[in-house]
Structures are given as structure tokens and as C-alpha cells.
Amino acid sequence: VCTQQELLPCKSLPETPLFQLLGLSIATLSTVAHYGLRFTLISNVSLDSNAYKVIHHTAFYFGICLSMTLILAALLSSAATVRESQCLTAMGFFCFALAFCGLIPAACWRYTHSTEVEDSMMDVYDFVYEEVRRNTSSFRRHELNAIHEAFLCCGKHSPFGDTTDVENKTCPPDQVHNEGQDCLQEIQGFLKKHMDFVFSLLGIAIGFTVYGMFLTSFLWFSIHFSSNLYRKGKYTLR
């Protein structure tokens, strides 16, 4: 922000809107994944022994904490540039470093456990499907019907091409007789697109946090070495 007064320093703030936008994007994605119909439905149906419920809640809280850390780091960097404060600059660097230390394990977990989320979600559907198949009067029938409506799918297709009583009683009429998508394939395809987007966003966030650490480091050294010089406040960050 540059002033037109000659006695006031002219400064160019760091890319605060970009970091804030990244933080808001992560918070939005975490909220959608946590409160979205499909994710919430599977989470409510899953058993305590299934890993999906733990992953579902952990991903939400991690995303919210990460977004708040990035936004706080951007605000501290901006305030440090305006006030030329080494303390605020160090705090901004610490926030970026904290976000980086959280992003690296998250990216590694996503790479090493690439199919764990998909497998746990499909295990939930298999469990509900088998419960309904063994006892069609079970309350699981309503849950299976809700899953079919949410994912716009219909049961598990038989290699022989026929349908069972489960599909006939829990699928919408227009999706019976192999007109609907196989639910296991539909769930896997939906999660693959979602997780690919999450992995891309993690990569972008890692790049921005590294950039933020370099930027705050440069700002700290600039303030430190120019604190006793007459040129204090006249540097420009690009």
C-alpha cells in the first residue's frame, strides 16, 4: 500500500489475498466434505470399527486448522510489513512453518494410503447391502435406499446381468434392470475425483507455504539489517 505523502514510506505488501483465498478454499472444501450429503450419509451409516468415520472427522478438523493458520500467517505478514516489526514477521514465519509441517504428512498419507478412503467407503456400502439382502425388513433398507438416491446408483450389478430383490425394493423404478450405475463403481469414481482435487490443493498449499516462509525470512532480514539505517521503511517487496 503506497501513500502519496513524501514523508511516509512506500511499501508493497506480500500477496495477502492469495494466502487468504487459499485458506478460504481449504476451509470451504473441508466444510463441503464434512457436511455434504454423500459424505454425511456414509459417515452416519458406518460402524465404529470402520475407518471412514475417523477419516471423515479428522480431515474436517485438519482442513479448518490449516485454513486458519494460513489466513493468520497472511495477516501477520501484512501487519509486519506495515509496522516493520521483527516480532510479527517471526510469528508469520512460524505460522507458515506450522502449516508446512502439517501439509507434508497429509500429502504423504494421501500418497501412501491412496485407496484407503475409497475402500472404507465401499466397505460401508457392502455392509449395508448385505444386511438388507439377509433381512429386507431391517432398518438398513432405508439407509440403502438413501444411498441409492444420493449417489444416483442401483445396487451391485451381477456378472450374469440379473437383479435381486435388493435392487427391486431399494432402487428408483427408472434405475432397476441395470439402467442405474453400479454403486461400487459410482462411489469409487466420485471419491477418485474428489481426492485428486484434494491432492492438487495440497500441492498448491505446500508451494505457497514455502513461498511464504521465504518471503517472511526476507522481510525479517530486511527489517533487521535496516533498523539502524536512514533508509528504514523505503524498501519495496515485489
Side-chain angles (χ1 to χ4, degrees):
V1 177
C2 299
T3 63
Q4 296 180 353
Q5 301 180 15
E6 295 181 356
L7 297 179
L8 294 178
C10 178
K11 305 173 184 176
S12 177
L13 297 180
E15 285 75 357
T16 305
L18 293 179
F19 290 110
Q20 291 178 341
L21 180 61
L22 179 62
L24 291 176
S25 299
I26 295 175
T28 302
L29 180 63
S30 302
T31 304
V32 170
H34 189 265
Y35 294 103
L37 175 61
R38 296 180 176 182
F39 295 102
T40 304
L41 183 61
I42 296 296
S43 178
N44 293 335
V45 173
S46 63
L47 300 176
D48 294 336
S49 59
N50 189 282
Y52 177 78
K53 185 173 292 187
V54 177
I55 297 174
H56 181 75
H57 293 289
T58 303
F60 172 71
Y61 293 116
F62 173 79
I64 295 299
C65 293
L66 177 61
S67 64
M68 294 176 61
T69 303
L70 289 175
I71 294 175
L72 179 61
L75 294 177
L76 289 173
S77 300
S78 299
T81 307
V82 173
R83 303 182 61 179
E84 300 184 9
S85 171
Q86 289 181 269
C87 180
L88 292 177
T89 305
M91 292 174 63
F93 177 85
F94 175 77
C95 289
F96 281 120
L98 185 64
F100 179 79
C101 292
L103 285 167
I104 293 300
C108 293
W109 184 90
R110 171 61 186 135
Y111 181 78
T112 56
H113 299 76
S114 57
T115 61
E116 184 169 344
V117 180
E118 293 90 335
D119 292 342
S120 61
M121 202 168 187
M122 288 189 291
D123 287 341
V124 173
Y125 179 81
D126 275 333
F127 170 76
V128 178
Y129 184 91
E130 293 301 323
E131 285 288 308
V132 175
R133 188 179 63 83
R134 287 193 293 265
N135 183 8
T136 56
S137 63
S138 173
F139 68 96
R140 296 289 183 183
R141 175 180 172 182
H142 300 286
E143 297 175 344
L144 184 62
N145 188 31
I147 295 175
H148 289 165
E149 293 179 356
F151 285 91
L152 299 178
C153 59
C154 181
K156 297 188 293 185
H157 289 178
S158 170
F160 301 102
D162 56 346
T163 58
T164 64
D165 292 338
V166 177
E167 283 79 7
N168 293 326
K169 295 181 179 180
T170 60
C171 294
D174 57 340
Q175 293 186 3
V176 185
H177 304 300
N178 294 328
E179 293 183 6
Q181 295 290 330
D182 183 277
C183 282
L184 294 180
Q185 295 179 359
E186 188 68 20
I187 293 173
Q188 186 178 22
F190 166 75
L191 279 178
K192 186 178 184 305
K193 294 178 181 179
H194 182 81
M195 297 304 294
D196 288 344
F197 182 76
V198 170
F199 192 72
S200 300
L201 189 60
L202 285 176
I204 295 174
I206 290 174
F208 270 92
T209 52
V210 173
Y211 171 73
M213 287 189 291
F214 277 110
L215 190 64
T216 50
S217 299
F218 169 77
L219 181 61
W220 189 91
F221 282 108
S222 298
I223 297 173
H224 177 73
F225 288 112
S226 63
S227 59
N228 297 323
L229 301 179
Y230 73 97
R231 294 178 58 86
K232 179 182 179 182
K234 296 184 179 180
Y235 57 88
T236 300
L237 296 179
R238 293 295 183 186

